[in-house]
Amino acid sequence: MTAAALEAALRHGLAELGLSLPDGAERQLLAYLDALGRWNRVYNLTAVREPLDMLTHHLLDSLAVVVPLRRQLGLPAQPVASAQDSVPGVRVLDVGSGGGLPGVVLAMACPDLAVTCVDAVAKKAAFIGQVAATLRLPNLRGVHARVESLPGPYDVICARAFAALADFAACTRAALAPQGVWLAMKGRMPHDEIAALPATVEVFHVEHLVVPGLDAKRCLVWMRPARAESP
């Protein structure tokens, strides 16, 4: 697929999502997609390899989170500043980020978020660091560590295909800010995982997503410490 066709597909997807990106973000996203494809040939960052599939399964899938995330944080629906002009005020931790999904995409789409992508695999964290440096994203950093060792506090801790909800909450609880929330990107509604959550964690919202070009179920599960446990 040509670069022009990928750019057209991205713009079509953004229109379907009703999302307007900051200046330069479309270029950054396509450059990131190209880098992900190149690194993937050597380091196996993702099982998805065709450019158009990577666009839908990775970029648009992650971009579908932007409006719900900004709504939850009380931020304007459409980010307008560039990363160079914005001062990030909300700290987001992307756990088990792999090749940077959704963290890298969120950093590009939302310059007012300070995004940390953590992964236990050094080559994946190194890739994210390279993307941040090459594409001049001061609000993005990659960290090679186990999430249990990472200090907080983070306002939002998110994960995409990382672990069961109970395990996700347990291993990141120490890094969550007092009024922070967890955001889990899931496929179908994870009824069994929700039922298995401890009493110290509550699900306060589940949101179904439609990802342009992707014929698959997607939902966001929002969680927070149960009221009795909240500081």
Side-chain angles (χ1 to χ4, degrees):
M1 175 170 278
T2 66
L6 277 177
E7 182 178 0
L10 174 60
R11 290 182 173 174
H12 179 74
L14 289 169
E16 287 197 32
L17 290 171
L19 187 59
S20 177
L21 297 182
D23 293 341
E26 289 183 21
R27 175 190 56 79
Q28 289 175 331
L29 286 166
L30 292 171
Y32 165 60
L33 192 69
D34 180 67
L36 187 62
R38 286 186 284 105
W39 277 59
N40 201 42
R41 298 185 195 111
V42 179
Y43 295 112
N44 194 28
L45 299 174
T46 169
V48 181
R49 297 184 180 278
E50 291 299 321
L52 184 58
D53 290 339
M54 292 171 72
L55 178 72
T56 54
H57 287 68
H58 292 334
L59 293 194
L60 294 178
D61 190 50
S62 297
L63 286 166
V65 177
V66 171
V67 171
L69 174 61
R70 297 186 69 82
R71 185 191 308 125
Q72 172 61 34
L73 292 171
L75 298 173
Q78 302 291 350
V80 292
S82 68
Q84 286 73 26
D85 299 331
S86 181
V87 178
V90 176
R91 299 186 72 199
V92 176
L93 177 63
D94 178 17
V95 178
S97 188
L101 300 157
V104 169
V105 175
L106 292 178
M108 293 174 177
C110 305
D112 48 356
L113 304 181
V115 181
T116 297
C117 296
V118 61
D119 202 281
V121 179
K123 64 187 178 185
K124 295 179 179 179
F127 170 69
I128 295 166
Q130 180 68 25
V131 168
T134 303
L135 298 182
R136 298 182 181 179
L137 295 166
N139 62 326
L140 172 67
R141 68 186 187 117
V143 176
H144 172 221
R146 295 193 63 82
V147 67
E148 295 88 347
S149 68
L150 214 60
Y154 289 92
D155 303 293
V156 178
I157 300 180
C158 66
R160 178 179 185 259
F162 172 66
L165 294 176
D167 295 333
F168 169 43
C171 72
T172 58
R173 178 64 185 91
L176 192 68
Q179 301 302 318
V181 296
W182 289 286
L183 169 58
M185 298 174 65
K186 293 288 184 178
R188 294 180 179 276
M189 172 78 81
H191 293 289
D192 292 344
E193 292 184 32
I194 292 174
L197 284 169
T200 53
V201 177
E202 66 175 0
V203 173
F204 66 90
H205 184 50
V206 177
E207 189 164 355
H208 294 277
L209 299 178
V210 176
V211 179
L214 188 61
D215 185 20
K217 299 286 186 181
R218 288 290 187 269
C219 71
L220 303 179
V221 180
W222 293 92
M223 307 184 296
R224 62 191 170 203
R227 295 301 186 186
E229 195 213 354
S230 300

